[in-house]
Amino acid sequence: MTTPYLTPAVDERPPAGLDLFCLPCAGGGASAYGRWQERLDALGAGVRVLPVQLPGREDRAHEPRFTRLDDLVAELDEELDEALSRPHVLYGHSMGAFVAHALTLARQRRGAPPPRALVLSSHRAPHVRPNRILDPDADDERLAGALAELGGIPWELARRPRFRAAYMPLVRDDLRLCSGWVEPADVEPLSVPLHLFAGADDHLVPVPAMAAWRDHAGRGSELRTLPGGHFFVRTHEERLLRELAGVVTRYGTPVPAV
């Protein structure tokens, strides 16, 4: 299928195992997972990494951005429906985790094929109120400084007014996209296993905020704490890939011998 939401896969072998769809953090794009695509067997034979490119960034920078989660999920559900009919796992980091959960829940409600598992890192559970460390209502300088403090951007860039003027509107819109929350009594458990990753030193999403996802796990959950802060996905990429490989191999389809 052809959709602007999927970048071309580096691995062009016919799909035989499992697709790993990867959703980015606030302000991020599909390129965040480019190295994962290049390392064809890092996550196990037959696993194909498919980064999801949201509008308003990178090669889709000219397109309007979504600021309402329901609107984005409805379009993702439609655009990716064919691709999500294959055996797959959804992975999301930070904002991507919030979007991945919402997409899975929407597809569960309409009876569409679910992922074999949902892998989430560095975002609070939907019934946990958001903190204001990354405040979408803050001015560009404060927001850029908070993001740099978390390791999301280099301090050198955060101090540049032209960079802030160009980049902070995207970050701000993404933060608003995932600012909602639900009452604990309204939690609807998912019919797929949850695999949760937290950074040991993450001040934005501490370990208890990740552990709270267990309330959404109708088929069980696992929580793993990795070294690093909110962006351990970058600073401890090798460790994360090893952990992910152990997860996705449980859900893959055996690859036929050649």
Side-chain angles (χ1 to χ4, degrees):
M1 66 172 295
T2 300
T3 172
Y5 281 92
L6 292 180
T7 60
V10 173
D11 180 5
E12 295 298 340
R13 293 173 297 183
L18 188 77
D19 286 336
L20 178 67
F21 292 88
C22 300
L23 288 147
C25 65
S31 66
Y33 301 106
R35 276 173 41 84
W36 295 18
Q37 282 188 300
E38 293 166 2
R39 301 179 58 187
L40 301 184
D41 294 325
L43 294 171
V47 176
R48 194 170 57 159
V49 176
L50 297 175
V52 176
Q53 185 70 293
L54 303 181
R57 65 211 71 218
E58 296 182 346
D59 61 336
R60 301 186 68 187
H62 61 286
E63 300 179 39
R65 296 186 289 269
F66 284 94
T67 56
R68 284 177 45 84
L69 182 63
D70 289 348
D71 294 339
L72 173 59
V73 166
E75 184 159 302
L76 285 171
D77 191 14
E78 180 180 356
E79 286 282 327
L80 299 180
D81 186 46
E82 181 182 340
L84 295 176
S85 66
R86 278 186 29 79
H88 68 281
V89 167
L90 284 183
Y91 170 73
H93 178 73
S94 195
M95 177 190 78
F98 209 62
V99 175
H101 166 263
L103 176 59
T104 302
L105 185 58
R107 291 177 64 79
Q108 174 175 295
R109 286 170 174 168
R110 73 174 183 87
R116 293 187 173 183
L118 192 57
V119 185
L120 310 174
S121 63
S122 299
H123 199 285
R124 63 181 173 84
H127 66 285
V128 174
R129 286 183 177 271
N131 59 43
R132 304 298 283 181
I133 292 176
L134 289 179
D135 185 354
D137 296 322
D139 61 38
D140 285 354
E141 185 174 2
R142 286 180 55 205
L143 184 56
L147 191 57
E149 187 71 30
L150 290 168
I153 57 174
W155 275 106
E156 179 184 355
L157 290 180
R159 296 187 179 103
R160 295 181 182 178
R162 291 181 63 183
F163 171 80
R164 295 197 301 260
Y167 186 56
M168 288 306 108
L170 167 60
V171 174
R172 188 173 286 109
D173 282 351
D174 281 356
L175 292 174
R176 290 188 174 123
L177 184 78
C178 55
S179 62
W181 70 290
V182 299
E183 294 284 354
D186 295 331
V187 168
E188 182 176 338
L190 295 174
S191 60
V192 300
L194 300 187
H195 295 270
L196 312 170
F197 290 88
D201 302 315
D202 188 348
H203 303 298
L204 179 65
V205 187
V207 173
M210 284 303 300
W213 279 101
R214 291 169 174 163
D215 291 349
H216 299 256
R219 294 286 302 277
S221 67
E222 292 181 350
L223 172 64
R224 306 181 191 201
T225 303
L226 271 60
H230 189 68
F231 289 96
F232 67 83
V233 65
R234 300 174 188 167
T235 60
H236 294 78
E237 183 182 61
E238 292 298 325
R239 170 71 181 275
L240 176 60
L241 285 174
R242 289 197 301 271
E243 296 283 351
L244 279 176
V247 169
V248 297
T249 53
R250 303 186 199 178
Y251 302 104
T253 302
V255 180
V258 177

